[in-house]
Amino acid sequence: MHIQVDDLSGPEVIELLAEHLRNMYEWSPPESVHALDLAGLKVPEVTFWTIWENGVLMGCGALKEIDPLHGEVKSMRTPSARRGKGAGRLMLEHILKVARQRGYRLLSLETGSQPGFEPARKLYERFGFEYCGPFGGYTADPNSAFMQLHLPVEGDLER
């Protein structure tokens, strides 16, 4: 599998993001859906990647800069038909690597609290994300789970 920055113009990517938004609205009330649409993913503070295997789209993910020390994981998605093949794990590893390269000290995310989001929450937990309160422009919402991961920078472990 390989990961690449994506311009969000390919039909497979557009369909995957449409599937993502459809699911968000199926599982959450409209006021609790915080997934970005195509226009929201094309802003300068967001980097969007896709992951491919033998020409097949296996998933996507994005990293939004909140400020120079704080990033947000966005749009993590694996097509329903391709789940369980490790694409989500690889994408999250990539996002963490880029966040560290950028010097972020904190990586946050918002996901749903409903059962349909449990696999995503478990993935984030395995990577060390912990539950927290709302961040950025979010407000408390029983349909949202907020998580964060503190990222050490070089030298932190030596102190």
Side-chain angles (χ1 to χ4, degrees), residues 24-25 28-34:
M24 298 305 102
Y25 283 100
S28 302
E31 66 275 8
S32 297
V33 174
H34 303 291

Side-chain angles (χ1 to χ4, degrees), residues 2-13:
H2 72 279
I3 296 172
Q4 62 189 39
V5 172
D6 198 287
D7 67 2
L8 297 125
S9 64
E12 305 100 325
V13 174

Side-chain angles (χ1 to χ4, degrees), residues 36-78:
L36 297 175
D37 60 11
L38 284 171
L41 289 166
K42 290 182 178 182
V43 297
E45 61 269 19
V46 175
T47 305
F48 181 83
W49 296 276
T50 49
I51 186 166
W52 299 83
E53 183 174 53
N54 299 321
V56 175
L57 178 62
M58 300 298 290
C60 65
L63 180 57
K64 178 181 180 182
E65 182 166 298
I66 294 174
D67 66 48
L69 299 176
H70 188 185
E72 180 181 4
V73 177
K74 298 295 292 181
S75 301
M76 284 279 297
R77 182 68 181 199
T78 301

